[in-house]
Amino acid sequence: MVPTPYHAAFWAHALSINDSGGAVADLSRSIANARIDLNPHQVDAALFAIRSPLSKGVILADEVGLGKTIEAGLVLAQRWAERRRRILLVVPASLRKQWQEELRQKFGLPSMILDGHAASAERASGRQRLFERADEIVITSYQFAAARADDVMGVPWDLVVFDEAHRLRNVYKPSSRIAGALRDATAGRQKLLLTATPLQNSLLELYGLASFLDPHLFGDERSFREQFGGGAGLDPARASLLRTRLRGALTRTLRSQVLEYVRFTNRTPITQDFRPSDAEQRLYDLVSEYLQRPVLAAIPSGQRALITLVLRRLLASSTFAIARTLQALVERLELMLRDRDPQPISALLLPDLDEMDDLAEEFLPQQASFEVVTRDEMLTELADLRSFSQLADSITGNAKGVALLAVLTTALDRAEELGAARKAVVFTESRRTQEYLVRLLEANGYEGRVVQLNGANSDVKSRALHAAWMARYGGTATATGSRAIDTRAAIVDAFKGDTRILVATEAAAEGVNLQFCSLVVNYDLPWNPQRIEQRIGRCHRYGQKHDVVVVNLLNRANAADERVFEILSLKFRLFEGVFGASDEVLGVLESGIDFERRIAEVYQDCRTEGEIVAAFDTLQAELEAQIAGRLDATRRAVLEHFDEDVQARLRVHRDLAQQSLVERQRWLWELSRFELGDGAEFDAAEPRFNYAGALGPAGRYNLDWADAERRDEKFYQPEHVLAQSVISRALGRELSPASLTFDSRGHKQLSEALGALAGRSGSLVCGRIAVSALRDEEHLVLAGVTDDSELLDYDQCRRLMRLRVLASELAIDVEGFEGARDVAIARVLAEVSQRNSAWYDEEGEKLDAWADDLRASLERELKELDRTIGETRRVSLAAATLAEKLSAQRSLKTFESERAAKRRALYDAQDRIGERRDELIASIERQLGASHTWSEAFAIRWRMG
C-alpha cells in the first residue's frame, strides 16, 4: 500500500488510545511494551483484575509455576499506561530485588526499593512523604510497610499489590498485627493479592483474605462461621454459595488447564556425599559447643537467635567463612574489655552474608541487650575464640570443595546429555566461601572460565567485566546508568558467553534470569525452602528448554544435616519433578523464616544423635499434620474451575490478544516507515530498521523483543522514545479534507471482504471519543457511509484503510458522514452503559449479601437470647425453694432487659446497615453519570477504484 497522512493519523490515534473498558485489545497495549511470551491464562488473569472500576481488588490464585508475577506485571503496566502511577508493591523482604528486576526487564517499569536505609536517606534529603512517588513504583517489605503504616495511609494509592498474600489470611485475628496494620493502612484502596494458597488449613483463611481485600464481601467473622463453618469442609450447596460470593474477587487457573500453551521441563537431582576432615570436624564441634553455652559475652542476648542461626550457616558453609567471623568476634570482645563500644554485630556479618538485612528485618526481636558477664568470663571466652580462630586459619582446604570438583564433571556431563550447555551456577551463602570456590575452580581445570556474583561485585574481574560491558553498551538503552544493575548484567552476559561456571551468593537468587543454564549446584543448602526454590527458579523457569539438574552436597557425618536434607527432599520435593515444591506445601511455612528458626533450634538445643532424631521426628510430624490438614476437597469445590468454559475462554483470549498485538505492531511499523521515511533503512523481510535521525537515539531497532535481545538491538515498542516522537508527529499534523481512491484489486483477501463496495464511493470519519463515567475511557471511532446511505462499521473502515491508495486529492469538502459518526458514538456509549450497568448489578448483589450476613448474625443472637430466657423460666418454675425461684427471677429479669436492648440494637443495626448500603449504592450511582467529548482526527471522501 501507499500510505497517506490520513493513514498515519489513524495509526497514531489507534496506538495512543488510553483505555477502552478493559478489553483484550486494550491490554495488548501493555503486552506490546513488554518483553514476555504471550500466555492466555496470564491475559485472562490480568483482564479479571482490571475488569470492574467498582472492584476493591482481586485475588490472583493460579497454581505455582504459572507466572503470577507476569499477571501482576501486566496489570501494573496497564495502570502505568493509564497514568495511574501511585503504585505500591508489598512483598517478602527477600523478593524485593527480584520484583524490581522483573518490572524493569520485562515491562520497562521504573521502581525503587524503600527500606530502612532508603528511608533514612529520604528523611535526610528533606522528603516528608516517604512513600509518595509520581515516577516510580514503590517496592517495600511487609515489615517496613506495617511499621510505617501512617505513611502508607497518607498516599492515595491507585493500586496496592501484595505478593505471597497468604501472609494476610489471619488478619481477622487480633494477634495478626502486621496484617491488621496493612489492612487499615490500605483501606479503600484497590488491591491485588497474589497467592497460590488462598485456602490452606481453614475456611477462615479465605474469609481473612476476602475481608482484607474488601470488607463488604462478607459480613463479620461470626456470620461467616455460621454460613460456611470455620475449619471443616463444606457440603456442595454451601460450597456453591461460597464460590458464587467470590466469583468477582478471586480467579484460579490450574496447571492442567494450560498444558496446551506452556511447556514445563523436569528437575533431576544428584546428591554428592562428603565427610569433613578431622580438623574440620573438630572446628565444627568446638564452635557448635560454644554457641550452645547458656551465656555469651560476644553476642547480644536480644539478637542471640538471629546471630546463632547465621553463625551456624557460616560454619556449615566453609572454614573460610567462619574463620573471618571468629576473628571479628575476637576483635569485638577485645573492644568490650577496653570499655569501648563495638560495632553492631549484624554489621560484622553483613559483608559476608548478602541476605543479612533481609534476615534482620524478618527475624525479630532485635534488641541489643547483653547478659551480665564478669571480666574473667569474658577473658575465658576470648581465649576460646582465639583458639577457634587459629584452628580455622590452619585449615587450607575443605572436603566439601573436593566433593564439588568431583561432582561437577558428572553433573556437566548429565546436563550435556539432556541437550543443555556445559554451564553451572554454584550457590553459596557466604562471600568468603565464594572467594574460596573461585580460587579452587580456577586452580582445577576452570581457569578463566569462572565468574562470581554477589551483593557487592567489587572484585577485580567484576569491575573489568563492567568496564568492558559499558564500552559496548554505554549510551544505549541497554545500560541503565545504575552501576550495580549494569555490573550484574555484565556478569550474567559473561556467564552466557564463554564462561562455564557462575559462583553466586543469594544475590543471584533474586532478579537474575539464568534460563540459558540448566545446572544448579547447592554448595550450601539453605534451611529456608523458599530460598532454595528461588535459587532453582533462576534456571527452572519460563523459557527453559531443558531439564534442570540440581546437585546437593551433603555432609554424611552430620545427623542433623541429613535430616534437614530428608525433609527438604522427600517432604517438600524441592529437587525433582516438573514443578519442585508446590505452593500448597510452601504455604504452610509462610515466609520460611519460622521453619528456619525451628531448624536452628534443633542444632542449638540437641547434643546427642538421639536428641537430634527425636527433635526432627517431632518437627516432621507437625509438618505432615499441617500439610495433611489442608482442605483439598473444599479447595477444589470452591476455587477450581473444571468446566469447559475455561479452556474455551483461554483460547479466545489467546487468539484475540495475539491478533490485537500483531495489529498494533503493524500499525507501529507502517507509521514508522511513513514518518521516518528516508531517514531510516527498513529491512524488507524482518521488522527491523536502522535509524540515525534527530527524533530519537540512533541505532538498530527491532519490533521482536526476543530477536532484539539475541541481536543486541533496541526493542522498538510504542512506549519507546522514538516511537513516541513518531506518534506525536502524526497526531500533531493538520489534515485538510481529502478524496482517496483505493485499489479494489490490490489486496485479494481485503478485496474479497470489501467486495460489496467495489465501484462505490462515500465518506469516512476518524476520531476519538472520551467517556467519563465509572472510569475515564477513550475509544477510537472509524465510521463510514456510502453515497447511497449504507453504513460501514469499524471493521469495514479498518479494512478500507489497509488498501493501496491509487490517487489522492486535497481540498475536497466532505459531507454526509455525520449520521455514521453519531451511530458509532451511540454504539460506544451503549456499550459503556451496558458494562456499567453490569458492574452496578454485581456491586449491588455483593452489598445485599453483605447486609444480609450482618442482619442474620444479629437475628441469631436475639434467638439465642430467647432460648436462654425460655430455659430460665423453666428453671424458675421447677425451683423447689423460694430462694431458688427469686434467684431465677432475677436472672430472668436481667436476660429480658438484655433482650430488649438487643431488639433495639437489632433495629438500630438494621437501619445502619440499610443506610450504609444506600450510601454505597448512591456513591456508585453518582459515578454512573456518563459524559463524553468528541475529537475529530480527519474526514475523507473515498472511492473504490
Side-chain angles (χ1 to χ4, degrees), residues 443-486:
N444 286 275
Y446 298 96
E447 184 176 0
R449 313 298 289 276
V450 182
V451 290
Q452 57 183 309
L453 180 60
N454 55 47
N457 299 317
S458 57
D459 60 285
V460 173
K461 187 168 184 177
S462 294
R463 292 200 301 270
L465 288 172
H466 173 259
W469 190 87
M470 287 302 296
R472 182 178 183 183
Y473 295 111
T476 72
T478 304
T480 67
S482 164
R483 184 179 183 87
I485 293 174
D486 290 343

Side-chain angles (χ1 to χ4, degrees), residues 2 115 304 350 410 512 529 637 699 734 750 776 832 861 865 893:
V2 179
D115 56 13
R304 179 84 183 254
L350 188 59
T410 301
V512 177
E734 290 288 340
L750 289 175
D776 294 335
V832 171
E861 289 182 19
L865 200 51
K893 186 175 181 180

Side-chain angles (χ1 to χ4, degrees), residues 64-130:
V64 65
L66 297 186
K68 287 183 288 295
T69 305
I70 299 296
E71 296 168 0
L74 286 171
V75 177
L76 267 61
Q78 182 66 23
R79 293 292 178 251
W80 194 264
E82 295 165 3
R83 307 203 70 79
R84 289 192 271 174
R85 297 183 172 181
R86 290 191 181 96
I87 299 173
L88 176 66
L89 262 71
V90 183
V91 306
S94 60
L95 298 181
R96 292 172 299 187
K97 292 177 185 175
Q98 181 174 329
W99 265 98
Q100 185 176 46
E101 289 294 286
E102 290 277 310
L103 292 180
R104 183 186 70 83
Q105 291 178 353
K106 289 186 169 61
F107 298 96
L109 295 175
S111 64
M112 66 93 63
I113 293 175
L114 189 57
D115 56 13
H117 298 302
S120 298
E122 294 285 291
R123 294 295 193 203
S125 69
R127 180 186 285 270
Q128 296 303 311
R129 297 173 71 87
L130 262 187

Side-chain angles (χ1 to χ4, degrees), residues 263-276:
R263 177 179 178 267
F264 298 102
T265 61
N266 215 324
R267 295 181 183 181
T268 302
I270 296 177
T271 304
Q272 178 67 41
D273 298 345
F274 72 93
R275 290 184 176 275

